[in-house]
Amino acid sequence: MTQLLPLFPLDIVLFPKMVLPLHIFEERYKEMIGECLRSKAPFGVLYTHEGTTARVGCTAGILKVLKKYDDGRMDLLTQGGDRFEILHFDTSASYLRGWSESFADRDGAQPPDRKAVEQLLELFRETARILKRSEAEKVRVSPGYQGLSFQIAGGFPLPKTVKQRVLEGRSETERVAILIAYFNENLPRLRRTGVAAKRAGSNGHVR
């Protein structure tokens, strides 16, 4: 079933259950958010960068209007809902809209192998330690590992192109593999950087 969805192109990749604060200041988006508030309907967030807009995105539901300004600007707290795919865009309104379909995992997709999940978590935790970030402590593993990749990719400073690939994955197994490949590719450099930083901190010289 297709539906006409209000769209907010942003230089952000939104994931299901991810909380996203937004500051609304452009007139067209003030209008869009006003209509969403009146109809209690979500809008879609699409990753947009350097003139290119992705066609797979995630809906955002408005949890709370944090502040309204006299000039109509708003601070919102939103949360990611369901993934969708744009079939074609509609430019007849003041803001972008698109005819969309639900974008879900393939029917019958099997959960990832336990060893793959353990490998991902080990790589993720090591990366977080080197970068001195606490996101790894907040990850919760649910039965079947569903949503694990979204937790990791949504809360960690990965390249947005990698985040978009994760969002477009059609199974948790596929998304876990994408993240394992990314961490495996980047960890050697981070390890060297971490060792160099420790040496510099201990004697003032990097060898």
Side-chain angles (χ1 to χ4, degrees):
M1 179 179 175
T2 62
Q3 64 171 331
L4 187 59
L5 187 66
L7 298 173
F8 200 169
L10 290 169
D11 191 15
I12 288 171
V13 179
L14 180 65
F15 291 94
K17 298 185 179 179
M18 174 179 159
V19 174
L20 176 66
L22 290 172
H23 177 66
I24 308 299
F25 60 92
E26 289 189 55
E27 291 300 326
R28 54 182 169 167
Y29 295 120
K30 292 178 193 176
E31 179 184 347
M32 184 188 81
I33 294 300
E35 292 184 9
C36 289
L37 287 169
R38 284 190 293 274
S39 59
K40 298 182 180 178
F43 57 93
V45 173
L46 289 175
Y47 172 54
T48 301
H49 185 68
E50 294 182 346
T52 301
T53 300
R55 286 185 171 263
V56 173
C58 184
T59 61
I62 301 171
L63 296 179
K64 189 176 182 181
V65 178
L66 300 173
K67 185 174 181 179
K68 285 187 176 181
Y69 298 84
D70 292 340
D71 59 4
R73 289 178 297 131
M74 286 175 276
D75 292 333
L76 305 177
L77 193 63
T78 70
Q79 185 172 38
D82 300 318
R83 291 181 295 165
F84 62 87
E85 182 174 16
I86 294 297
L87 304 180
H88 57 89
F89 291 104
D90 181 291
T91 57
S92 61
S94 63
Y95 50 85
L96 186 63
R97 299 185 297 178
W99 288 98
S100 66
E101 279 187 347
S102 174
F103 186 88
D105 284 355
R106 290 187 299 270
D107 291 340
Q110 296 298 308
D113 180 81
R114 180 174 61 85
K115 289 184 179 179
V117 171
E118 290 175 350
Q119 181 186 8
L120 171 59
L121 290 172
E122 183 178 340
L123 293 168
F124 177 49
R125 287 164 181 158
E126 182 180 355
T127 301
R129 280 197 304 272
I130 293 172
L131 296 177
K132 295 182 168 55
R133 299 189 66 97
S134 62
E135 285 88 349
E137 301 169 9
K138 303 171 186 176
V139 169
R140 298 292 177 263
V141 180
S142 61
Y145 312 118
Q146 200 60 32
L148 176 63
S149 58
F150 293 156
Q151 283 190 68
I152 292 174
F156 204 68
L158 305 176
K160 290 166 189 170
T161 52
V162 175
K163 288 176 179 270
Q164 183 64 28
R165 287 178 58 212
V166 171
L167 186 70
E168 294 179 4
R170 298 305 292 259
S171 71
E172 191 64 25
T173 298
E174 180 183 345
R175 293 187 289 269
V176 165
I178 290 169
L179 290 172
I180 287 174
Y182 170 78
F183 286 124
N184 269 330
E185 181 181 348
N186 285 273
L187 256 174
R189 176 182 57 80
L190 288 176
R191 287 171 182 146
R192 291 193 298 271
T193 303
V195 169
K198 286 180 181 178
R199 289 176 177 170
S202 60
N203 58 21
H205 298 281
V206 179
R207 297 182 180 180

